Amino acid sequence: MSISVVLKTFDKFNLLLDNYNRGGNDVINDNIREFREKLGLSQRELGRRINKTGQLISLIEQGKNNPSMDTLNKIAIALGVTLNDLIKDSSVINLNTADEDTKDTYLTFLA
């Protein structure tokens, strides 16, 4: 295992940790907006599909409201994505596609 793999893994983990410590939902908020816009849905329509208001969706996307896991799950279903897709941070290592050294380092670091 190379030092560059260790540093790369550590840097990506720190990005995730920093985001969490700042309030943590920037990734979720951005992902909800991105998936909603890809489908051409308004905030009002997404809210209607989950029996909430468009205003709530707006607040969530702005980071002014922290949705419950139940609401996040309903949003994911309405957007046709998984809950994992909503919380996925592109700056975090994808363990499905990472090479073995990166996976081992990352999982060891998290343990």
mmCIF file of all heavy atoms in Angstrom, residues 2 13 18 20 23 31-32 42-47 58-59 67 94 103:
data_model
loop_
_atom_site.group_PDB
_atom_site.id
_atom_site.type_symbol
_atom_site.label_atom_id
_atom_site.label_comp_id
_atom_site.label_asym_id
_atom_site.label_seq_id
_atom_site.Cartn_x
_atom_site.Cartn_y
_atom_site.Cartn_z
ATOM 1 N N SER A 2 0.586 2.146 -0.900
ATOM 2 C CA SER A 2 1.433 3.320 -1.029
ATOM 3 C C SER A 2 0.962 4.450 -0.122
ATOM 4 O O SER A 2 -0.198 4.515 0.270
ATOM 5 C CB SER A 2 1.434 3.799 -2.477
ATOM 6 O OG SER A 2 0.191 4.372 -2.796
ATOM 7 N N PHE A 13 -11.789 11.336 3.439
ATOM 8 C CA PHE A 13 -12.504 11.137 4.690
ATOM 9 C C PHE A 13 -12.635 12.466 5.438
ATOM 10 O O PHE A 13 -13.686 12.773 5.992
ATOM 11 C CB PHE A 13 -11.789 10.100 5.563
ATOM 12 C CG PHE A 13 -12.494 9.855 6.863
ATOM 13 C CD1 PHE A 13 -13.665 9.115 6.900
ATOM 14 C CD2 PHE A 13 -11.993 10.370 8.043
ATOM 15 C CE1 PHE A 13 -14.327 8.899 8.096
ATOM 16 C CE2 PHE A 13 -12.653 10.153 9.235
ATOM 17 C CZ PHE A 13 -13.822 9.411 9.265
ATOM 18 N N ASP A 18 -15.562 17.093 7.586
ATOM 19 C CA ASP A 18 -15.752 18.546 7.625
ATOM 20 C C ASP A 18 -17.180 18.923 7.258
ATOM 21 O O ASP A 18 -17.798 19.767 7.892
ATOM 22 C CB ASP A 18 -14.787 19.258 6.665
ATOM 23 C CG ASP A 18 -13.355 19.261 7.158
ATOM 24 O OD1 ASP A 18 -13.142 18.964 8.356
ATOM 25 O OD2 ASP A 18 -12.454 19.545 6.347
ATOM 26 N N TYR A 20 -19.843 17.080 7.575
ATOM 27 C CA TYR A 20 -20.720 16.665 8.672
ATOM 28 C C TYR A 20 -20.644 17.665 9.826
ATOM 29 O O TYR A 20 -21.654 18.059 10.381
ATOM 30 C CB TYR A 20 -20.333 15.266 9.147
ATOM 31 C CG TYR A 20 -21.158 14.812 10.322
ATOM 32 C CD1 TYR A 20 -22.437 14.320 10.120
ATOM 33 C CD2 TYR A 20 -20.669 14.897 11.622
ATOM 34 C CE1 TYR A 20 -23.211 13.917 11.191
ATOM 35 C CE2 TYR A 20 -21.438 14.492 12.690
ATOM 36 C CZ TYR A 20 -22.705 14.007 12.470
ATOM 37 O OH TYR A 20 -23.469 13.610 13.530
ATOM 38 N N GLY A 23 -22.689 20.910 9.589
ATOM 39 C CA GLY A 23 -24.136 20.819 9.524
ATOM 40 C C GLY A 23 -24.526 19.642 8.660
ATOM 41 O O GLY A 23 -25.649 19.195 8.669
ATOM 42 N N ASN A 31 -28.014 17.009 -3.669
ATOM 43 C CA ASN A 31 -28.461 15.824 -4.412
ATOM 44 C C ASN A 31 -29.963 15.846 -4.643
ATOM 45 O O ASN A 31 -30.434 15.485 -5.728
ATOM 46 C CB ASN A 31 -28.043 14.539 -3.701
ATOM 47 C CG ASN A 31 -26.555 14.262 -3.822
ATOM 48 O OD1 ASN A 31 -25.873 14.841 -4.659
ATOM 49 N ND2 ASN A 31 -26.050 13.382 -2.988
ATOM 50 N N ILE A 32 -30.724 16.265 -3.644
ATOM 51 C CA ILE A 32 -32.175 16.353 -3.821
ATOM 52 C C ILE A 32 -32.484 17.328 -4.956
ATOM 53 O O ILE A 32 -33.273 17.019 -5.861
ATOM 54 C CB ILE A 32 -32.874 16.787 -2.515
ATOM 55 C CG1 ILE A 32 -32.791 15.661 -1.476
ATOM 56 C CG2 ILE A 32 -34.340 17.172 -2.785
ATOM 57 C CD1 ILE A 32 -33.259 16.063 -0.090
ATOM 58 N N SER A 42 -40.926 20.560 -10.079
ATOM 59 C CA SER A 42 -40.854 21.756 -9.238
ATOM 60 C C SER A 42 -40.767 21.299 -7.783
ATOM 61 O O SER A 42 -41.074 20.145 -7.449
ATOM 62 C CB SER A 42 -42.101 22.627 -9.432
ATOM 63 O OG SER A 42 -43.248 21.945 -8.950
ATOM 64 N N GLN A 43 -40.378 22.214 -6.927
ATOM 65 C CA GLN A 43 -40.373 21.910 -5.492
ATOM 66 C C GLN A 43 -41.789 21.595 -5.032
ATOM 67 O O GLN A 43 -41.998 20.689 -4.224
ATOM 68 C CB GLN A 43 -39.787 23.084 -4.706
ATOM 69 C CG GLN A 43 -38.326 23.288 -4.963
ATOM 70 C CD GLN A 43 -37.778 24.557 -4.360
ATOM 71 O OE1 GLN A 43 -38.496 25.528 -4.152
ATOM 72 N NE2 GLN A 43 -36.467 24.561 -4.090
ATOM 73 N N ARG A 44 -42.749 22.333 -5.565
ATOM 74 C CA ARG A 44 -44.143 22.119 -5.200
ATOM 75 C C ARG A 44 -44.613 20.706 -5.579
ATOM 76 O O ARG A 44 -45.272 20.032 -4.799
ATOM 77 C CB ARG A 44 -45.008 23.166 -5.893
ATOM 78 C CG ARG A 44 -46.456 23.090 -5.519
ATOM 79 C CD ARG A 44 -47.226 24.207 -6.180
ATOM 80 N NE ARG A 44 -48.597 24.198 -5.737
ATOM 81 C CZ ARG A 44 -49.497 25.068 -6.097
ATOM 82 N NH1 ARG A 44 -49.172 26.044 -6.913
ATOM 83 N NH2 ARG A 44 -50.722 24.983 -5.660
ATOM 84 N N GLU A 45 -44.244 20.260 -6.794
ATOM 85 C CA GLU A 45 -44.659 18.933 -7.251
ATOM 86 C C GLU A 45 -43.996 17.831 -6.424
ATOM 87 O O GLU A 45 -44.640 16.852 -6.055
ATOM 88 C CB GLU A 45 -44.360 18.747 -8.742
ATOM 89 C CG GLU A 45 -44.667 17.366 -9.277
ATOM 90 C CD GLU A 45 -46.121 16.906 -9.123
ATOM 91 O OE1 GLU A 45 -47.022 17.761 -8.930
ATOM 92 O OE2 GLU A 45 -46.365 15.688 -9.181
ATOM 93 N N LEU A 46 -42.714 17.985 -6.124
ATOM 94 C CA LEU A 46 -42.047 16.984 -5.283
ATOM 95 C C LEU A 46 -42.709 16.939 -3.911
ATOM 96 O O LEU A 46 -42.973 15.859 -3.380
ATOM 97 C CB LEU A 46 -40.549 17.277 -5.149
ATOM 98 C CG LEU A 46 -39.758 16.326 -4.253
ATOM 99 C CD1 LEU A 46 -39.903 14.868 -4.690
ATOM 100 C CD2 LEU A 46 -38.293 16.736 -4.216
ATOM 101 N N GLY A 47 -42.989 18.109 -3.345
ATOM 102 C CA GLY A 47 -43.681 18.151 -2.061
ATOM 103 C C GLY A 47 -45.024 17.448 -2.122
ATOM 104 O O GLY A 47 -45.385 16.676 -1.228
ATOM 105 N N SER A 58 -38.145 23.425 -0.509
ATOM 106 C CA SER A 58 -37.268 24.588 -0.648
ATOM 107 C C SER A 58 -36.362 24.744 0.570
ATOM 108 O O SER A 58 -35.153 24.963 0.439
ATOM 109 C CB SER A 58 -38.103 25.856 -0.847
ATOM 110 O OG SER A 58 -37.272 26.998 -0.872
ATOM 111 N N LEU A 59 -36.943 24.626 1.750
ATOM 112 C CA LEU A 59 -36.155 24.758 2.986
ATOM 113 C C LEU A 59 -35.098 23.662 3.100
ATOM 114 O O LEU A 59 -33.964 23.912 3.530
ATOM 115 C CB LEU A 59 -37.073 24.753 4.208
ATOM 116 C CG LEU A 59 -37.985 25.969 4.360
ATOM 117 C CD1 LEU A 59 -38.989 25.742 5.494
ATOM 118 C CD2 LEU A 59 -37.179 27.233 4.595
ATOM 119 N N PRO A 67 -34.455 17.187 7.190
ATOM 120 C CA PRO A 67 -35.545 16.226 7.064
ATOM 121 C C PRO A 67 -35.309 14.970 7.885
ATOM 122 O O PRO A 67 -34.168 14.569 8.107
ATOM 123 C CB PRO A 67 -35.563 15.910 5.571
ATOM 124 C CG PRO A 67 -34.163 16.159 5.124
ATOM 125 C CD PRO A 67 -33.667 17.298 5.968
ATOM 126 N N ASN A 94 -15.673 5.544 -3.620
ATOM 127 C CA ASN A 94 -16.670 4.542 -3.966
ATOM 128 C C ASN A 94 -16.026 3.179 -3.776
ATOM 129 O O ASN A 94 -15.164 2.774 -4.548
ATOM 130 C CB ASN A 94 -17.123 4.733 -5.413
ATOM 131 C CG ASN A 94 -18.189 3.737 -5.810
ATOM 132 O OD1 ASN A 94 -18.378 2.713 -5.164
ATOM 133 N ND2 ASN A 94 -18.881 4.042 -6.895
ATOM 134 N N LYS A 103 -9.487 0.497 -0.920
ATOM 135 C CA LYS A 103 -10.552 -0.077 -0.084
ATOM 136 C C LYS A 103 -10.002 -0.477 1.289
ATOM 137 O O LYS A 103 -10.584 -0.140 2.308
ATOM 138 C CB LYS A 103 -11.143 -1.327 -0.750
ATOM 139 C CG LYS A 103 -12.053 -1.064 -1.881
ATOM 140 C CD LYS A 103 -12.602 -2.389 -2.400
ATOM 141 C CE LYS A 103 -13.274 -2.212 -3.718
ATOM 142 N NZ LYS A 103 -13.770 -3.486 -4.244
#
